[in-house]
Amino acid sequence: ELKVEQNPLFLSMQEGKNYTIYCNYSTTSDRLYWYRQDPGKSLESLFVLLSNGAVKQEGRLMASLDTKARLSTLHITAAVHDLSATYFCAVDPKRPNDYKLSFGAGTTVTVRA
Amino acid sequence: DGGITQSPKYLFRKEGQNVTLSCEQNLNHDAMYWYRQDPGQGLRLIYYSQIVNDFQKGDIAEGYSVSREKKESFPLTVTSAQKNPTAFYLCASTILGRRTESYTFGSGTRLTVV
């Protein structure tokens, strides 16, 4: 069974500082996804990472994937209040003709002044 | 605009009652999924379907049933056998075989047992 672990589960950020969320997974995969969820809302796609060494950036968020270490990181640069949300990583196991996502527990981010 | 429509947004179920959650997509996506989210937790897969008239159990299928009679529709029935159905239910879809494609999620249905 694929296990996806995120840490930390809760992250209190100070505005203007940098932080990293880690996502470890237990089986071979080169398909990793990051989503954002605001309270009571659905999931918004942030990044799709599809190869070892993949790096994607959007605004203050940057995600990377190391398939050998089975690790993805979501780096937040100079945190701002608008980034307060819950962030999920999800992994699609590398099985032919069987596409589905397994999610981490999520990291709840609160940005304070 | 293309997307996934889930209805209703809020649903109340009495003890012993079956209820059906609707999920419709106009993205021409091949695969559709149902996830359950409990407060403060991640998403768990209930059922998924990659082709019409075929579906597979996810990690927590007990007490749920689905059908896939049309490519664009994937309704979920929460049966009376599901003892703790109160949760947020999310439907998702994706294109198969296109590696760059993410999974698109609907806006969710919040189910409460009364």
Side-chain angles (χ1 to χ4, degrees), chain A residues 57-78:
Chain A
Q57 183 164 5
E58 180 74 33
R60 300 176 186 274
L61 302 178
M62 183 175 71
S64 64
L65 177 62
D66 181 343
T67 58
K68 294 179 182 178
R70 299 179 185 172
L71 171 68
S72 180
T73 59
L74 180 66
H75 188 71
I76 299 170
T77 302

Side-chain angles (χ1 to χ4, degrees), chain B:
Chain B
D1 281 343
I4 298 179
T5 301
Q6 288 189 242
S7 63
K9 189 170 182 178
Y10 299 96
L11 186 57
F12 298 90
R13 191 193 95 166
K14 295 181 180 178
E15 296 282 351
Q17 190 179 43
N18 292 358
V19 292
T20 297
L21 285 59
S22 172
C23 177
E24 304 274 334
Q25 54 98 0
N26 61 3
L27 300 165
N28 199 30
H29 282 180
D30 309 291
M32 298 185 73
Y33 305 80
W34 276 105
Y35 285 90
R36 168 178 172 147
Q37 185 178 28
D38 292 283
Q41 298 189 30
L43 283 69
R44 293 183 290 168
L45 182 63
I46 305 172
Y47 269 99
Y48 63 110
S49 167
Q50 299 187 125
I51 193 170
V52 173
N53 293 323
D54 187 42
F55 48 82
Q56 289 74 41
K57 292 182 179 180
D59 301 318
I60 55 165
E62 186 174 348
Y64 300 96
S65 66
V66 293
S67 62
R68 186 91 184 275
E69 297 177 0
K70 299 185 295 183
K71 186 177 183 179
E72 58 270 24
S73 178
F74 192 41
L76 173 74
T77 296
V78 184
T79 75
S80 57
Q82 172 49 241
K83 297 306 178 190
N84 184 22
T86 295
F88 188 45
Y89 291 85
L90 286 160
C91 179
S93 69
T94 194
I95 295 178
L96 298 180
R98 190 181 296 178
R99 285 173 50 84
T100 57
E101 192 77 16
S102 184
Y103 290 65
T104 302
F105 282 80
S107 57
T109 293
R110 194 166 299 277
L111 174 62
T112 304
V113 174
V114 296

Side-chain angles (χ1 to χ4, degrees), chain A residues 35 42 50 92 98-99 101, chain B residues 33 35 48 50 99 103 106:
Chain A
Y35 288 89
S42 185
L50 297 173
D92 192 341
D98 191 18
Y99 299 79
L101 292 181
Chain B
Y33 305 80
Y35 285 90
Y48 63 110
Q50 299 187 125
R99 285 173 50 84
Y103 290 65

